[in-house]
Amino acid sequence: MYIEMSNEQIHGIIQDSLIGYNYLQEISLAKRADLMHAIADSIDALGEELITTAQAESALPIPRLQGEKQRTINQWRSYANAVRKGVYSEARIDKGDGASKADIRKYNKGLGPVAVFGASNFPFAFSTAGGDTASAIGAGCSVVFKEHPGHPKTSQIMAKAIVDGLVKFGAPAEVFGYISGSSNAVGEQLVVHPIIKAVAFTGSFRGGKALFDLGTQRNEPIPVFAEMGSVNPVLALPQYLEQNLTAFASQYISSLTLGVGQFCTNPGLLLAIKGESLDQFKLLLAQEIAKVTDAVMLHAGIAKAYSEAKSHLSNQSDVALLGDGISTEESRAVAAVYGTSATTFLGNSLLGEEIFGPTGLVVECADSEEMALVLGKLGGQLTITFAATAEDVAQNKNLFTLAQEKCGRLLFNGMPTGVEVVYGMQHGGPYPSTTDSRFTSVGPDAVKRFLRPLSFQNWPNEFLPEELQNENPLKIERIVDNQRTVE
Ligand code: NAP
């Protein structure tokens, strides 16, 4: 249920986000971290209503939502802890000599108010109180969140929890603004507003690209960090395939159908080399997928898009159905695996497009050179997975090298679904998986997106931000006169 806001109301909320931004810029890093923990406490205190509302709006199972709530809280806490340590301040101090050599000191500060758009498939972790909101506030930026049309009531409950946390902490409510309405125009108004200095988005390619174009074509262009998903190729190399036929078929189908395939890291494309092992593997895939029962998708629009994309794929020439899952009701999503040849794939660009849901495509390549051609044809990916032995990789260094150019996270075995919230995570790859491959939207490093460097030249100590003062009151890691110092 939308809360329909007028343009004036939306404008007022965006304008007020400056109050929140100025507050965040004035408080210490330690206080900012405490504020983030206060928001985490407030989310933690939310009861059953949050879970049951999200379940009703998204059709996601209760245990999954309970886990996602905990993940969301952990995101706030881990980002807060990184902020407290000054991990993102990158303080650099070149002391002057009081004469000809100037005193020059640099640190990272917040960009300004940030617009955040959530995704339908993670109503907590990538939505209202998700990683983008937590990382923007961690960078000292206020947030204006655009309500998600797929889970408006869930968004409203989360928004209230954030504001309650802020008020209890003694911070202005304007640190977090919330806007809503029933058309794209609401989000567009947000992105073009001159107060907004950056945008974070997770969702469809169409939505992300539209908002990227708007943000970068403003009179004052701003960065738009859009995460738009990918097909996440799995490269099944010969020795591994031969040694792991049954286990790998089951592992692949589990990952492909996990969460009704509604993950941006869903492994929608599997490349393998022709031969007896692959023939057996395809039969095993068909057996495994035949065990998967159809399921309800996030909302009717996504279900319709999935069904249309699947039927479009099956209508392409030289694409064959290898097997599909159990169908019980027309409105539910049926899992499927299709197969085609590398030659067909290379001649039809539609086959490399993401199908958001539990459908995979196996591409048969003549040899590793042809596999490299298929990989080379693909756009940037969030992940690429090698299903390989070390020997397989050693014999196919060309694929290993090429894959590094194409993705943000390269896996050696395992499956790409499941994105850990850790420092080492890179969730973001070359375009079109995201609009800026230099940054991640998961893990504490997500904070970096909303910072810019600022140098102070020859300023007296008392005017400098705490990160740059002589005494290092925060005891953070800095580079002082070319020496890395840890206090
Ligand atoms: P979406 O349709 O792209 O919407 C995400 C957010 O952006 C919503 O708040 C939406 O609100 C807004 N928006 C979309 N297009 C816009 C435009 N042109 N101008 C202004 N605002 C716009 O994504 P979704 O709802 O999460 O899922 C739909 C599709 O996205 C799926 O079918 C799937 O293909 C893809 N998806 C990708 C990921 C991923 O991780 N990359 C995750 C989930 C879904 P309004 O529509 O109200 O304006």
Side-chain angles (χ1 to χ4, degrees), residues 259-312:
V260 204
Q262 300 167 120
F263 290 115
C264 47
T265 49
N266 189 44
L269 194 65
L270 189 141
L271 314 183
I273 294 170
K274 267 185 197 150
E276 215 174 283
S277 294
L278 180 55
D279 291 342
Q280 279 183 50
F281 182 66
K282 288 194 296 185
L283 294 175
L284 289 166
L285 288 179
Q287 276 175 28
E288 286 299 319
I289 205 134
K291 299 176 195 162
V292 180
T293 306
D294 58 5
V296 180
M297 296 192 87
L298 290 159
H299 57 75
I302 285 190
K304 184 166 174 277
Y306 171 67
S307 157
E308 285 170 2
K310 205 167 67 145
S311 96
H312 201 42

